[in-house]
């Protein structure tokens, strides 16, 4: 089954330029990640590295490195903050898999399937603790404030999603509040600490945060579309996971609001009551196509992507700035 | 069924003096706890307050206040640090209940039984994030270092316990390492930040940490004994919970090592294989009594209690110091 999504004419975008520009720093981040997952309790590096070494793009720590570079930061702290950001992300994934009862993550068995829910919860807690230790070592109270606030907001967004789960009456605004918290906030924090470390003016800190926030929203919306089609193999999850888990995402919100009573009954039965038959995923995709729900979710994603690019405007042209613009295009282009 | 435990001649100890001396500060801690569990996401205060308002003694935050007072600290930071310590503790309990699949906590249904594992994991994460935010607001990097290191060590101790779970061959040293991590480290950190805030010499910081560490070990060992008898109603858990969950605690370690082959087979069957019959808890308590395992666990607890009291020696006599000595006696006296 294929979903036709538009924007084939957009530039594909690439993260290659970013990867290249931060390569030297990223090697040190990876070494830090490896050493900070170390523990005499062997289960900790096993669980942590199962996920950390599973081929994620490490986009978030790269953003921290890139923003520190863009801010002209010449110190060492960005390496530890980038590693902290990746640990916070990994901890969130470990806990998410327990919350969602996920069996797969990035195409491999999730940690909880191999070591159990207990280990996933506790190793997540360990990584969060280690993340904070590294931040403290860097010694910037403002960076600590940004990242610890993000930690609380991420959890808040996840609880919000839990409360909204299976509620087909969720509005677009409510959904946006959820993904700002659970996804975009960490992108924003990862970016904001760059100019903070560099001692740059408040306007640049805000611009970096805004870039990250809008990129994060765009990233999540494209993810939502991919769950109803697209390159599932690359994602390491199956098309239809969100549907089977009763997750309310923007394509559902739009299709539900634009649908008639019979269609709404279908969404309620499938997502709220969890009564899903063999052909229901196809039917759901059909309804989304009919109401242009996937296409418009991508339109929304492009809106946030444009805001991300504009947020960078006050930085002078540079290869790094160009690389960050390319990242936006890349995140949007994942959908085709 | 009753377990005869010795030390009836010891002074009973009390936390009343401590409660009285920190009452004014504790009111502000409680107000802080209440305001920092606030969220527009109503499930967060519901879950958090279910546990926070369930009548725990709040011993850990009281220790932070007491140690700050002992150190002559005259600022405001100890209130937020005390609230942080309670949030870290609450987050740990929420996650522990998920890990242990506990149904009761302090005599009430555990949060996971009311709101599910998902909410318990995520609200725990939220409280951890809020704890770090408050610490950052206080602005002491050294206090941040102590508490964030504790967070990582606590999780490490819990994973260690998970790995040692149901392993009857656990040694006393291994078990001590587990409870140092999962219980005593937070007591130590809660105490150490007092003289840190007060800008007191390193020797006093170390003394405070040592007091907390040894008190925490004694506290946990008494808890272990109580699980095989004692005032279960007060604990809000049932006698035999550790046994039914296959938890290896010091009474088991001692009884196993001192037992004969037939007895060891019993422990392996009950705790490793989880095959527990109606009379097996009684049999276990009988074996512990025969080998003086409960009595000697309490002897060990008294050893650590004595170390805690001696750690306070370098502080001049004061009502607060007297109150802290009373707390040690109180923790030990819980067993009879």
């Amino acid at each position: 089954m294929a979903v036709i999504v538009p924007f084939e004419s957009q530039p594909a975008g690439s993260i290659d330029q970013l990867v290249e520009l931060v390569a030297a720093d990223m090697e040190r981040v990876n070494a830090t990640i490896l050493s900070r997952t170390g523990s005499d309790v062997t289960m900790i590096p096993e669980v942590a590295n199962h996920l950390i070494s599973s081929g994620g793009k490490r986009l978030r720590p790269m953003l921290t490195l890139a923003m520190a570079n863009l801010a002209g930061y010449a110190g060492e702290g960005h390496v530890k903050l980038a590693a902290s950001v990746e640990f916070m992300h990994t901890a969130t994934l470990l806990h998410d898999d327990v919350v969602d009862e996920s069996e797969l993550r990035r195409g491999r068995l999730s940690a909880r399937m191999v070591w159990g829910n207990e280990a996933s919860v506790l190793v997540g807690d360990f990584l969060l603790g280690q993340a904070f230790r590294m931040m403290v070592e860097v010694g910037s109270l403002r960076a600590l404030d940004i990242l610890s606030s993000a930690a609380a907001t991420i959890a808040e967004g996840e609880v919000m999603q839990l409360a909204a789960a299976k509620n087909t009456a969720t509005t677009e605004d409510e959904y946006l509040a959820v993904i700002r918290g659970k996804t975009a906030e960490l992108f924003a924090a990862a970016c904001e600490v760059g100019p903070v470390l560099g001692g740059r003016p408040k306007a640049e800190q805000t611009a970096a945060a805004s870039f990250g926030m809008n990129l994060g929203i765009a990233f999540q919306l494209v993810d939502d579309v991919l769950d109803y089609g697209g390159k599932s193999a690359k994602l390491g999850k199956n098309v239809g996971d969100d549907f089977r888990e009763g997750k309310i995402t923007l394509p559902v919100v739009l299709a539900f609001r634009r649908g008639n009573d019979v269609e709404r009954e279908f969404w309620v039965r499938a997502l709220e009551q969890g009564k899903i038959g063999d052909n229901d995923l196809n039917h759901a995709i059909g309804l989304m196509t009919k109401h242009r729900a996937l296409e418009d979710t991508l339109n929304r994603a492009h809106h946030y992507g444009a805001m991300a690019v504009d947020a960078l405007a006050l930085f002078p042209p540079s290869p790094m700035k160009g690389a960050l613009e390319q990242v936006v295009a890349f995140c949007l282009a994942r959908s085709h």
Side-chain angles (χ1 to χ4, degrees), chain A residues 255-273:
Chain A
F256 181 82
R257 302 219 150 233
R258 295 172 183 178
N260 58 34
D261 285 350
V262 175
E263 291 171 13
R264 290 208 190 100
E265 266 172 42
F266 163 78
W267 290 113
V268 169
R269 170 174 65 75
L271 298 179
E272 295 192 12
Q273 298 161 8

Side-chain angles (χ1 to χ4, degrees), chain A residues 89 94 268:
Chain A
H89 177 54
L94 283 168
V268 169

Side-chain angles (χ1 to χ4, degrees), chain A residues 2 11 20-21 44 75 78 95 121 123 125-126 144 150 152 163 169 180 191 196 207 215 248 266 300 314 316 318:
Chain A
E20 196 184 315
L21 288 172
I44 289 178
H78 62 319
H95 287 183
V121 170
V123 174
D125 289 350
F126 174 78
L144 269 162
R180 272 177 198 277
C191 290
V196 165
L215 174 63
I248 309 298
F266 163 78
R300 307 289 211 262
L314 86 176
S318 70

Side-chain angles (χ1 to χ4, degrees), chain A residues 155-276:
Chain A
E156 206 169 17
E158 306 250 12
V159 179
M160 211 188 299
Q161 184 172 47
L162 194 64
K166 311 192 179 212
N167 178 10
T168 51
T170 303
T171 65
E172 179 165 353
D173 277 333
E174 285 169 338
Y175 180 66
L176 266 176
V178 167
I179 66 176
R180 272 177 198 277
K182 75 161 198 155
T183 306
E185 184 73 24
L186 187 56
F187 276 79
C191 290
E192 189 175 2
V193 295
V196 165
L197 279 184
R200 303 297 303 163
K202 183 75 185 160
E204 289 188 23
Q205 299 175 21
T206 311
S210 176
F211 171 80
M213 177 64 79
N214 286 294
L215 174 63
I217 295 172
F219 181 90
Q220 182 61 56
L221 292 178
V222 171
D223 232 42
D224 293 348
V225 170
L226 285 169
D227 209 84
Y228 287 94
K231 304 170 185 168
S232 64
K234 272 209 172 167
L235 269 182
K237 58 181 200 176
N238 303 309
V239 168
D241 274 353
D242 288 349
F243 183 72
R244 278 182 291 270
E245 290 170 13
K247 274 198 187 156
I248 309 298
T249 59
L250 190 55
V252 173
V253 170
L254 295 179
F256 181 82
R257 302 219 150 233
R258 295 172 183 178
N260 58 34
D261 285 350
V262 175
E263 291 171 13
R264 290 208 190 100
E265 266 172 42
F266 163 78
W267 290 113
V268 169
R269 170 174 65 75
L271 298 179
E272 295 192 12
Q273 298 161 8
K275 293 178 189 155
I276 296 181

Side-chain angles (χ1 to χ4, degrees), chain A residues 8-318:
Chain A
E8 292 288 349
S9 59
Q10 299 270 333
S14 161
I15 57 166
D16 295 349
Q17 199 180 336
L18 176 66
V19 168
E20 196 184 315
L21 288 172
V22 301
D25 277 347
M26 201 60 202
E27 231 172 85
R28 296 160 64 211
V29 172
N30 290 335
T32 305
I33 286 174
L34 203 67
S35 78
R36 293 308 180 101
T37 50
S39 166
D40 293 339
V41 186
T42 51
M43 198 191 272
I44 289 178
E46 280 174 18
V47 175
N49 292 323
H50 173 79
L51 186 52
I52 288 173
S53 67
S54 67
K57 289 179 298 300
R58 303 202 178 172
L59 182 54
R60 292 160 191 82
M62 283 199 292
L63 290 174
T64 299
L65 299 176
M67 282 296 178
N69 174 292
L70 203 63
Y73 176 65
E76 296 289 317
H78 62 319
V79 171
K80 280 185 182 165
L81 288 191
S84 297
V85 164
E86 184 67 6
F87 274 17
M88 284 174 67
H89 177 54
T90 306
T92 306
L93 295 184
L94 283 168
H95 287 183
D96 274 2
D97 285 344
V98 173
V99 168
D100 295 341
E101 301 181 347
S102 306
E103 297 180 3
L104 288 179
R105 168 69 68 184
R106 291 178 187 156
R108 305 169 66 177
L109 278 180
S110 64
R112 72 175 202 95
M113 298 300 288
V114 184
W115 290 276
N117 281 341
E118 303 92 333
S120 293
V121 170
L122 297 175
V123 174
D125 289 350
F126 174 78
L127 292 177
L128 266 183
Q130 290 290 69
F132 281 105
R133 286 181 72 178
M134 283 190 280
M135 292 174 214
V136 173
E137 285 167 18
V138 174
S140 160
L141 279 171
R142 179 70 193 123
L144 269 162
D145 181 28
I146 291 164
L147 288 165
S148 61
S149 297
T153 306
I154 291 164
E156 206 169 17
E158 306 250 12
V159 179
M160 211 188 299
Q161 184 172 47
L162 194 64
K166 311 192 179 212
N167 178 10
T168 51
T170 303
T171 65
E172 179 165 353
D173 277 333
E174 285 169 338
Y175 180 66
L176 266 176
V178 167
I179 66 176
R180 272 177 198 277
K182 75 161 198 155
T183 306
E185 184 73 24
L186 187 56
F187 276 79
C191 290
E192 189 175 2
V193 295
V196 165
L197 279 184
R200 303 297 303 163
K202 183 75 185 160
E204 289 188 23
Q205 299 175 21
T206 311
S210 176
F211 171 80
M213 177 64 79
N214 286 294
L215 174 63
I217 295 172
F219 181 90
Q220 182 61 56
L221 292 178
V222 171
D223 232 42
D224 293 348
V225 170
L226 285 169
D227 209 84
Y228 287 94
K231 304 170 185 168
S232 64
K234 272 209 172 167
L235 269 182
K237 58 181 200 176
N238 303 309
V239 168
D241 274 353
D242 288 349
F243 183 72
R244 278 182 291 270
E245 290 170 13
K247 274 198 187 156
I248 309 298
T249 59
L250 190 55
V252 173
V253 170
L254 295 179
F256 181 82
R257 302 219 150 233
R258 295 172 183 178
N260 58 34
D261 285 350
V262 175
E263 291 171 13
R264 290 208 190 100
E265 266 172 42
F266 163 78
W267 290 113
V268 169
R269 170 174 65 75
L271 298 179
E272 295 192 12
Q273 298 161 8
K275 293 178 189 155
I276 296 181
D278 281 348
N279 200 41
D280 281 351
L281 177 60
N282 277 328
H283 185 59
I285 294 173
L287 292 178
M288 287 175 175
T289 306
K290 171 182 167 192
H291 294 296
R292 307 175 71 91
L294 295 168
E295 187 179 334
D296 278 348
T297 298
L298 286 179
N299 280 328
R300 307 289 211 262
H302 277 76
H303 160 81
Y304 293 104
M307 286 174 69
V309 170
D310 276 323
L312 292 178
L314 86 176
F315 295 100
S318 70

